[in-house]
Amino acid sequence: MRISTTVLLWIILTLLTLLLIFSVYLTILRLLEKRRLLQEANYVQRSKVHWMNYLFYNQDWHEDMVPKTLQEKRAAERLLVKFLNSVYVEGTREKIYLFAERYMASYYRKMLASTEWSHRMNGLYRVIDFRLIELAENHLNKWSNRNVRNAEEKYYLSLLKITVGRTTALDLVKQDEVEFSEHQNRALLLKLNQKDLNSLIDNYDYLPHASKLALIDVVGEKNYIQYQDFFVKQLEIEERSELRIRMLKSLELMGFIQDFHPFVSFLSSPFWQERMLASRIVGMFPLRESQQYLLPLLEDQTWWVRSTAAKAIAKQKEGISVLLNYQLKTEDRFAKEIIDEQLLKEEAIAL
Amino acid sequence: MANKLFWIDEAESIFYILQGALARTKAPISIVYIMPKTKEALFSDEQVLEFIRKADVVFHDTDKAGWWGILPNSGRKEVAAFLKRMKTHFNIEEPSPYHVVVTEVRDPQASLIEIVKAIKTMPKTEETSTVNYVDGPWTKGSKSTIKVSLVVDEPIIREVLKRSISTIRLDHFDIELQEFEDGLAFESSEWHKSAHSHLVVLDDVLPKKNGMEVVHFLRNQASSQKFHIFMLTDRVSEENLITAYQMGIDEMIHKPFNLRLFESLFRRTIERLWFE
């Protein structure tokens, strides 16, 4: 089909016009963005010294700190969040909360009332960060009868309830009406005191799966050795491999194990992760006790297990000579290779 | 040092060499004058040489009224230990038959002969103590320069830290501070290339080159001991701490951190470079 020159010219002209309109549109957007950034930068430049004086050097509040436009409020918000997350002196946080309550509440009220999910979420983050209690109460009252589908929003509404005292982190971890992710559970667990943690351990069997996983991780990370016996007992009865693996990891993280014998059975587990973690735990003990259990693992079918066993032996006194002796005796090719690998690593460290 | 009691002009040459290390070590040289109150209390040369350590230098008093000791890298505490040792070695009982005059030298240009002359011509005060600590123009050294680098990408936090450091008053040091917004800018600058003690405050997460890479770079420099590294982080796990300290970080500061605590830590780190 042949297109006439005129039609072709019209097509080209139309496309060029569209391109021009689009370019003009982008240019206007860019100019508006630059103006917005300039307003924000001007606010920061004008007010930063006053903010530092007020927050860190006990000087008086200054009028220049009050944001007047939307851009200035955004800039003030960014500034205050940076201070909250980075540096403080006594009284800094309270000053920030008071300031936000007085000058930023209306800004966040609009955000919370937005139909856009992202705006509401940003509003929620800040209401929690700045402890805007009144705003939080109003928002919770408004949303108490609404069906919130988004998991992230549910979680932050729950945090809001903690902020205003309607619930506690402990209750949230225990409940199973709202399913939180492992990461969210972990964040809640980190807010708990010792008494609450004890309560969770006592009610371990009734916890939702994600809560259990988070609890096991947090106990290991925080080195709560007082729960070691509990986890060792749980290991014997736990049916789910995922939980057993997490428990072994948590126990290994604690760094101090009273007795390795409960873990010996895991050295022959069908799951390589369990064998690997158990070998790390057994490897914490002197070679004269642990050698007989670790050496056979040098012939394990999984590289990770072999490598962990070799590392555990090598790091001990006389460990290198134990490995060298074994290398001479064994006929397993993989064992010989892993010992060579470990010896090379040891050489590299020594250099 | 040669095992002999020097004359003052010989001691002056040795003293001049020892002064060369003053700027680097920041440790003063102490000069001790032991003057017997009675003839019987006078030590023989052999007795003095038997007592004195290899690192110390002894020389005759020009008037033959006692002897002088030059104790390198020694402040008041070291001199006190020296005098205690002397008391034990020579079985000196109270009241001590010796006048002891001690002075600290921090000025790398001071002349030993001038110091001795000045001490000998000092008006004798009513001595309530057998040990007299005297000061002179040689006691005050010039202020040492410490370099500080702020390698923090967030401008407002850099300003807060800069302002905080500028308010810290240090008696013996001058601070020269520079700011960098990323690890690469810091590494490629000439700023870290000098013999000065250098305190680096850096974020763990930085654009272009992160904090750990900068630490690795610094600890692989020649004379990396001059670097004192503070790292700002919000990662609180023990594993991270262990790795950080193994890499050569001196202090991990968890965000959010108390600014007053930071200032105390900063001051303490710098003051430890000064020899008391």
Side-chain angles (χ1 to χ4, degrees):
Chain A
M1 184 184 114
R2 284 193 68 174
I3 304 172
S4 75
T5 319
T6 320
V7 171
L8 199 59
L9 279 170
W10 273 110
I11 291 171
I12 293 170
L13 197 64
T14 312
L15 286 172
L16 280 173
T17 311
L18 284 172
L19 195 63
L20 182 67
I21 293 169
F22 191 58
S23 301
V24 167
Y25 169 70
L26 284 178
T27 308
I28 293 171
L29 275 186
R30 179 65 187 141
L31 285 170
L32 286 173
E33 194 196 356
K34 274 179 120 172
R35 199 176 82 154
R36 179 178 63 78
L37 288 171
L38 188 65
Q39 283 184 345
E40 288 180 13
N42 284 342
Y43 171 79
V44 172
Q45 201 51 43
R46 188 180 84 221
S47 67
K48 65 183 176 184
V49 174
H50 302 302
W51 272 115
M52 285 196 277
N53 288 340
Y54 176 61
L55 291 178
F56 305 121
Y57 298 99
N58 247 347
Q59 290 184 31
D60 288 333
W61 170 93
H62 193 280
E63 222 178 78
D64 277 350
M65 286 156 58
V66 179
K68 294 178 178 65
T69 65
L70 182 63
Q71 286 71 31
E72 288 186 356
K73 284 184 178 158
R74 283 194 188 131
E77 174 190 63
R78 264 207 289 281
L79 210 58
L80 294 181
V81 168
K82 273 172 205 158
F83 286 138
L84 267 182
N85 292 336
S86 301
V87 59
Y88 67 94
V89 298
E90 202 180 308
T92 300
R93 287 179 182 142
E94 288 70 25
K95 286 178 183 171
I96 291 176
Y97 301 154
L98 266 168
F99 183 89
E101 184 88 51
R102 198 164 164 195
Y103 296 108
M104 312 280 283
S106 57
Y107 171 62
Y108 293 120
R109 192 171 290 117
K110 282 187 191 140
M111 283 177 90
L112 289 173
S114 171
T115 49
E116 285 241 12
W117 177 83
S118 61
H119 290 179
R120 284 202 310 277
M121 286 308 294
N122 284 335
L124 273 176
Y125 299 148
R126 295 299 161 248
V127 167
I128 292 167
D129 283 341
F130 296 143
R131 307 257 175 104
L132 300 172
I133 304 292
E134 203 185 306
L135 211 52
E137 292 274 14
N138 290 340
H139 188 71
L140 283 170
N141 290 339
K142 230 193 308 183
W143 281 74
S144 58
N145 296 324
R146 290 195 205 183
N147 184 20
V148 177
R149 290 204 189 137
N150 182 273
E152 185 82 3
E153 197 167 6
K154 273 190 212 175
Y155 174 66
Y156 276 91
L157 284 171
S158 303
L159 288 185
L160 211 61
K161 286 183 189 169
I162 296 177
T163 306
V164 303
R166 287 190 190 184
T167 187
T168 62
L170 180 64
D171 290 336
L172 287 176
V173 170
K174 278 180 175 173
Q175 59 81 42
D176 48 17
E177 292 104 31
V178 181
E179 208 177 298
F180 296 127
S181 71
E182 203 186 306
H183 175 76
Q184 288 166 346
N185 270 300
R186 199 174 163 281
L188 290 169
L189 281 164
L190 288 170
K191 293 179 192 297
L192 299 184
N193 59 31
Q194 198 65 61
K195 194 174 147 202
D196 290 341
L197 272 175
N198 286 343
S199 162
L200 281 180
I201 294 285
D202 290 340
N203 292 291
Y204 175 81
D205 291 332
Y206 304 106
L207 292 175
H209 182 70
S211 301
K212 280 184 180 173
L213 289 171
L215 176 64
I216 293 166
D217 285 350
V218 165
V219 162
E221 263 177 61
K222 294 285 182 193
N223 271 320
Y224 289 142
I225 295 181
Q226 62 267 43
Y227 301 124
Q228 192 175 112
D229 288 338
F230 170 77
F231 281 133
V232 171
K233 285 196 185 96
Q234 278 298 125
L235 267 176
E236 289 165 17
I237 56 176
E238 182 57 62
E239 286 171 1
R240 283 207 244 188
S241 166
E242 188 185 9
L243 285 170
R244 287 200 306 270
I245 290 168
R246 292 294 192 96
M247 280 184 211
L248 282 167
K249 189 173 174 201
S250 180
L251 288 162
E252 189 246 328
L253 262 180
M254 284 181 192
F256 171 73
I257 302 290
Q258 288 156 5
D259 176 19
F260 72 83
H261 289 101
F263 304 96
V264 168
S265 57
F266 291 96
L267 295 172
S268 48
S269 161
F271 299 97
W272 69 265
Q273 296 93 332
E274 291 182 15
R275 297 198 302 274
M276 181 188 76
L277 289 163
S279 70
R280 278 196 200 157
I281 290 172
V282 171
M284 291 179 192
F285 288 81
L287 272 181
R288 62 175 186 279
E289 298 170 53
S290 59
Q291 192 178 191
Q292 57 175 312
Y293 301 107
L294 292 174
L295 286 173
L297 291 175
L298 294 173
E299 299 180 16
D300 192 277
Q301 55 186 305
T302 307
W303 180 86
W304 277 110
V305 178
R306 296 197 298 273
S307 175
T308 305
K311 191 175 169 184
I313 296 169
K315 76 171 194 242
Q316 296 236 27
K317 201 174 164 188
E318 312 293 331
I320 303 287
S321 46
V322 166
L323 285 174
L324 285 167
N325 284 337
Y326 193 79
Q327 196 179 41
L328 291 168
K329 286 184 206 161
T330 185
E331 285 176 12
D332 185 279
R333 179 168 69 91
F334 295 115
K336 287 182 194 282
E337 274 175 17
I338 204 73
I339 292 171
D340 277 335
E341 267 181 46
Q342 189 59 41
L343 293 174
L344 265 169
K345 279 183 202 165
E346 296 298 321
E347 228 172 280
I349 292 167
L351 287 172
Chain B
M1 311 292 168
N3 204 8
K4 66 176 255 191
L5 227 76
F6 295 98
W7 297 104
I8 192 165
D9 48 343
E10 291 171 313
E12 168 94 7
S13 310
I14 300 169
F15 184 72
Y16 178 73
I17 295 168
L18 292 174
Q19 278 175 301
L22 268 176
R24 194 168 37 83
T25 64
K26 316 228 182 348
I29 303 169
S30 284
I31 295 175
V32 181
Y33 177 33
I34 312 285
M35 190 171 72
K37 291 178 188 170
T38 62
K39 236 182 181 172
E40 291 74 30
L42 191 65
F43 296 132
S44 68
D45 290 2
E46 291 73 29
Q47 280 178 308
V48 172
L49 289 171
E50 203 183 275
F51 159 69
I52 211 78
R53 290 180 311 186
K54 265 191 188 169
D56 301 330
V57 177
V58 281
F59 60 95
H60 295 282
D61 179 55
T62 42
D63 302 325
K64 298 214 176 138
W67 53 275
W68 295 76
I70 302 173
L71 313 182
N73 297 320
S74 300
R76 283 206 176 194
K77 285 186 202 148
E78 285 72 24
V79 169
F82 169 86
L83 295 172
K84 193 175 172 187
R85 249 185 340 107
M86 191 179 93
K87 201 172 166 183
T88 313
H89 183 90
F90 293 111
N91 287 322
I92 298 168
E93 283 168 7
E94 294 299 326
S96 172
Y98 302 98
H99 288 304
V100 179
V101 181
V102 182
T103 191
E104 270 181 27
V105 180
R106 291 184 189 267
D107 179 2
Q109 310 298 327
S111 154
L112 177 67
I113 291 172
E114 297 301 325
I115 293 170
V116 167
K117 216 187 275 180
I119 289 174
K120 292 205 84 163
T121 52
M122 269 180 190
K124 288 201 174 14
T125 53
E126 197 56 50
E127 283 140 2
T128 53
S129 154
T130 332
V131 181
N132 297 293
Y133 290 90
V134 300
D135 285 341
W138 55 82
T139 311
K140 283 184 179 46
S142 53
K143 277 192 174 186
S144 297
T145 298
I146 303 276
K147 282 188 170 180
V148 176
S149 298
L150 295 178
V151 192
V152 175
D153 66 330
E154 186 45 63
I156 193 70
I157 302 303
R158 265 204 320 271
E159 276 213 47
V160 169
L161 291 172
K162 183 179 171 183
R163 167 123 175 227
S164 165
I165 289 168
S166 69
T167 62
I168 298 172
R169 204 180 69 92
L170 296 162
D171 293 328
H172 308 292
F173 297 97
D174 285 326
I175 303 281
E176 284 181 11
L177 188 143
Q178 267 214 30
E179 303 169 62
F180 302 89
E181 55 184 26
D182 62 72
L184 190 62
F186 172 70
E187 272 186 34
S188 39
S189 74
E190 301 283 309
W191 180 244
H192 52 77
K193 292 177 188 171
S194 71
H196 295 109
S197 292
H198 197 140
L199 200 151
V200 182
V201 181
L202 78 160
D203 250 328
D204 58 346
V205 177
L206 290 165
K208 295 182 189 170
K209 237 185 192 180
N210 71 29
M212 282 301 194
E213 289 177 289
V214 173
V215 172
H216 180 77
F217 167 76
L218 291 175
R219 289 300 176 214
N220 282 298
Q221 300 291 299
S223 69
S224 78
Q225 318 90 287
K226 73 181 183 198
F227 293 112
H228 304 267
I229 305 174
F230 290 3
M231 181 166 275
L232 309 177
T233 181
D234 48 17
R235 285 184 263 192
V236 298
S237 77
E238 279 192 356
E239 222 169 301
N240 278 327
L241 278 178
I242 291 167
T243 310
Y245 288 127
Q246 281 173 345
M247 288 282 292
I249 290 166
D250 295 293
E251 205 70 46
M252 289 291 273
I253 299 173
H254 289 126
K255 291 192 279 192
F257 60 90
N258 189 317
L259 196 60
R260 300 290 166 257
L261 191 63
F262 171 81
E263 286 166 4
S264 302
L265 191 59
F266 183 93
R267 174 194 292 283
R268 186 73 197 115
T269 304
I270 302 288
E271 281 176 350
R272 282 175 76 177
L273 296 172
W274 183 252
F275 199 105
E276 284 288 11

